[in-house]
Amino acid sequence: MVACLSCTPDAFPRTNPFPFSKPKFGSQEALLSLHKCTNFKHLKRVYAKIIRHGLSHDQLLIRRLLSLCSSYGKMDFATLVFHQIQGPLTFTWNLMIRSYTINDCSKQALLLFNLMISQGIPPDKFTFPFVIKACSAASAIEMGKVVHGLAIKTGFVGDLFVLNTLMDLYFKCGRVDFGCKIFEKMRVRSVVSWTTMISGLVSCDELDAARGVFEKMPGKNVVSWTALINGYARNQPEEAFELFWRMQLDNVRPNEFTLVSLLKACTEMGSLKLGRWIHDFALKNGFKLGIFLGTALIDMYSKCGSLEDARKVFDKMQVKSLATWNSMITSLGVHGCGEEAISVFAEMERGNVQPDAITFVGLLCVCVQTNNLEEGQRYFKYMGEHYGITPIPEHLICMTELYSRAGMLDEDCKLVNAMPSEPNDNILPALLHSSKVYGIVNMEKFLHGKLDFSTVDANSLQRNWLQVSKWDAG
DNA sequence: ATAGGGTTAG
């Protein structure tokens, strides 16, 4: 309508004849502005306008604003806005809980749920799936049990969505028995219930049981096929392909996830030929080189020995994720192309992609390979000071190597004592090994206090020792 | 006039 009127300039002069009258800005207009938002800066301006026009108590507007904040990853701002609302309704609490989880703040999600309950806000059938997902993301099984109890008390536990997420929670937290119990007691099961069961059994490594459930399952779809294929990919890669052929006979079309699982199987077999076949299959069947498929291809090519192909895929990818950059940097490092790895990192920084701990594992490994202590120290310092990344045990292994080789044993001990996160059992044996090799007595004592040998299996010890000795040779 | 579950890569 506005566009129409502006076509008649004679009747409607371009300059505003009433300079003191403001254009109307009500709920409709605010909603429209929010709809047109393209970035966070813009969003903040619209929020300011909403406040100025006294619209900050409009529930619909604020919810729309909150979900935009969430999609921009600005949960700090969303928190601020949320706490300005007077008497937020259940819907709004749910939205916040979900948004925190999506943005990797599952602990905040759980805190907010606690606040909600303590304020007497009644949860609804949507609240439970959101908060249970937060529990799995935070690996908070005890909290999960409390939520489960509350779901029973309020009667929402009868909801299929609630049961499916609960099942998933127990599987992800290693309580296969609880997960199975829920599945067995379910009166109605959806495709999702069956698939959650299959992937749950796949994840503690009960492949035979998963297979049994799969064969009994009615209405198998791509997701259920892929869950099982993915299970076989790691331990029985040939069987993963057998299933893939069977799936095609069943006329179920694979998706990006299926191909990624099959690429994992190729990597496991070390079969460049089969990996190339999957790549070819993807191209012939019109698959886009998305971030998951692309990154899996880079990983496969690199691990199957063709760094050139890995690089080609990387260069072709239109959209890259953090994992894509990490995979390329690590691949280059492993193949001894340290300089190229560092130049890819520089390119990543120029593109304003935030590196994470894994990126620096790749870079520090390059330093270990080239035995460049100064560069290693520089990256280690830079990582914390510039990006606020706290070291993980893998970083410390690299630094330990570098210091040990330079004979700077004191630095090693300082490093280990300053270790911020609890080193995991896969890493400790490696650290212990290098401390033995280089005779760092203090560190050895320190580590002995931390290491519970009963939980370390012999294979992982062997693997890590081999890794360290490879670095020794390099 | 808006929200939910299962499979993927470093």
Side-chain angles (χ1 to χ4, degrees):
Chain A
M1 174 116 79
V2 174
C4 260
L5 291 176
S6 64
C7 295
T8 53
D10 293 345
F12 295 92
R14 256 166 236 176
T15 50
N16 188 347
F18 310 109
F20 299 112
S21 75
K22 284 184 186 156
K24 186 176 174 285
F25 189 81
S27 296
Q28 290 299 317
E29 287 73 16
L31 211 55
L32 211 68
S33 309
L34 284 175
H35 194 72
K36 281 192 276 192
C37 267
T38 50
N39 57 51
F40 180 56
K41 227 173 154 179
H42 191 173
L43 185 75
K44 281 205 286 196
R45 273 208 306 274
V46 178
Y47 182 53
K49 212 169 169 186
I50 286 173
I51 293 174
R52 276 204 310 276
H53 289 80
L55 296 170
S56 59
H57 297 298
D58 187 312
Q59 295 275 341
L60 175 66
L61 271 183
I62 299 302
R63 281 176 203 157
R64 181 81 198 112
L65 187 101
L66 289 175
S67 50
L68 279 172
C69 288
S70 165
S71 65
Y72 295 139
K74 303 288 181 184
M75 285 315 289
D76 288 348
F77 187 69
T79 306
L80 213 74
V81 175
F82 177 77
H83 288 291
Q84 299 293 316
I85 307 171
Q86 286 166 3
L89 300 171
T90 301
F91 192 111
T92 317
W93 290 87
N94 292 351
L95 190 63
M96 285 300 286
I97 292 170
R98 174 176 171 264
S99 305
Y100 279 130
T101 311
I102 290 173
N103 287 288
D104 287 321
C105 312
S106 48
K107 291 216 173 103
Q108 296 237 78
L110 295 179
L111 283 173
L112 195 71
F113 176 72
N114 277 332
L115 190 70
M116 177 181 180
I117 297 304
S118 70
Q119 291 194 4
I121 313 291
D124 64 11
K125 64 167 183 171
F126 287 95
T127 316
F128 286 97
F130 294 151
V131 75
I132 294 165
K133 276 209 101 175
C135 291
S136 2
S139 310
I141 183 146
E142 292 310 319
M143 176 72 181
K145 286 180 188 164
V146 172
V147 177
H148 188 171
L150 202 62
I152 293 171
K153 229 163 79 177
T154 51
F156 289 114
V157 81
D159 187 277
L160 190 56
F161 280 75
V162 175
L163 283 172
N164 288 342
T165 30
L166 267 175
M167 206 164 92
D168 189 51
L169 165 76
Y170 287 127
F171 281 131
K172 291 210 170 118
C173 292
R175 292 306 303 254
V176 178
D177 51 341
F178 285 0
C180 291
K181 208 168 150 188
I182 292 178
F183 182 76
E184 281 157 18
K185 282 172 78 176
M186 282 169 95
R187 294 196 358 270
V188 182
R189 292 170 185 151
S190 66
V191 189
V192 175
S193 321
W194 286 91
T195 310
T196 305
M197 184 70 192
I198 293 166
S199 60
L201 291 171
V202 159
S203 66
C204 299
D205 275 337
E206 300 194 36
L207 274 178
D208 292 339
R211 183 68 176 242
V213 174
F214 177 80
E215 300 298 351
K216 268 194 285 183
M217 173 183 180
K220 303 173 181 64
N221 67 6
V222 211
V223 184
S224 33
W225 279 97
T226 305
L228 195 64
I229 288 175
N230 187 49
Y232 281 111
R234 211 178 38 174
N235 297 315
Q236 301 172 46
E238 291 86 0
E239 188 58 31
F241 272 92
E242 285 303 319
L243 274 167
F244 178 56
W245 309 135
R246 218 185 102 192
M247 171 182 154
Q248 286 187 299
L249 288 178
D250 255 30
N251 280 321
V252 177
R253 293 188 64 79
N255 64 16
E256 190 179 356
F257 287 34
T258 321
L259 298 192
V260 169
S261 292
L262 290 167
L263 284 169
K264 199 160 116 185
C266 297
T267 306
E268 200 54 42
M269 292 187 272
S271 172
L272 184 62
K273 205 176 147 194
L274 211 47
R276 283 218 165 95
W277 187 86
I278 293 289
H279 191 174
D280 200 45
F281 179 94
L283 293 175
K284 279 189 183 136
N285 286 275
F287 280 86
K288 290 245 167 63
L289 201 58
I291 47 175
F292 287 113
L293 185 58
T295 308
L297 279 169
I298 292 172
D299 186 55
M300 180 279 294
Y301 276 130
S302 163
K303 287 185 181 152
C304 292
S306 177
L307 184 66
E308 301 73 37
D309 284 298
R311 180 74 212 221
K312 263 187 219 161
V313 172
F314 178 79
D315 290 337
K316 267 206 194 106
M317 285 174 73
Q318 302 278 326
V319 183
K320 298 177 174 82
S321 71
L322 178 57
T324 315
W325 290 96
N326 287 350
S327 184
M328 195 67 244
I329 290 169
T330 308
S331 299
L332 288 165
V334 166
H335 284 267
C337 304
E339 270 179 43
E340 207 178 332
I342 286 163
S343 83
V344 169
F345 175 65
E347 197 187 323
M348 176 181 179
E349 282 195 304
R350 275 199 303 276
N352 284 323
V353 181
Q354 294 281 315
D356 69 355
I358 307 289
T359 320
F360 284 94
V361 172
L363 293 169
L364 290 177
C365 283
V366 167
C367 299
V368 171
Q369 277 193 347
T370 52
N371 207 2
N372 191 335
L373 175 64
E374 291 78 36
E375 189 139 288
Q377 278 176 312
R378 203 166 56 75
Y379 278 128
F380 190 73
K381 199 161 169 257
Y382 181 63
M383 170 181 97
E385 286 177 0
H386 197 263
Y387 290 108
I389 297 167
T390 41
I392 57 172
E394 284 86 342
H395 299 138
L396 298 167
I397 294 187
C398 293
M399 294 311 289
T400 300
E401 270 302 305
L402 289 169
Y403 282 130
S404 305
R405 288 182 192 176
M408 295 164 73
L409 305 186
D410 289 353
E411 289 298 320
D412 254 339
C413 291
K414 268 192 244 162
L415 207 64
V416 172
N417 282 318
M419 195 179 297
S421 62
E422 279 298 300
N424 63 42
D425 290 342
N426 282 331
I427 294 309
L428 273 170
L431 275 176
L432 189 63
H433 181 257
S434 43
S435 66
K436 270 200 166 82
V437 168
Y438 296 101
I440 311 166
V441 179
N442 282 346
M443 184 156 92
E444 215 179 312
K445 267 192 207 155
F446 170 83
L447 290 169
H448 263 298
K450 295 235 171 199
L451 186 58
D452 175 8
F453 277 97
S454 63
T455 65
V456 179
D457 70 290
N459 282 337
S460 109
L461 269 166
Q462 185 87 32
R463 263 202 312 276
N464 283 301
W465 286 17
L466 277 174
Q467 215 174 334
V468 174
S469 39
K470 258 189 233 160
W471 280 340
D472 278 347

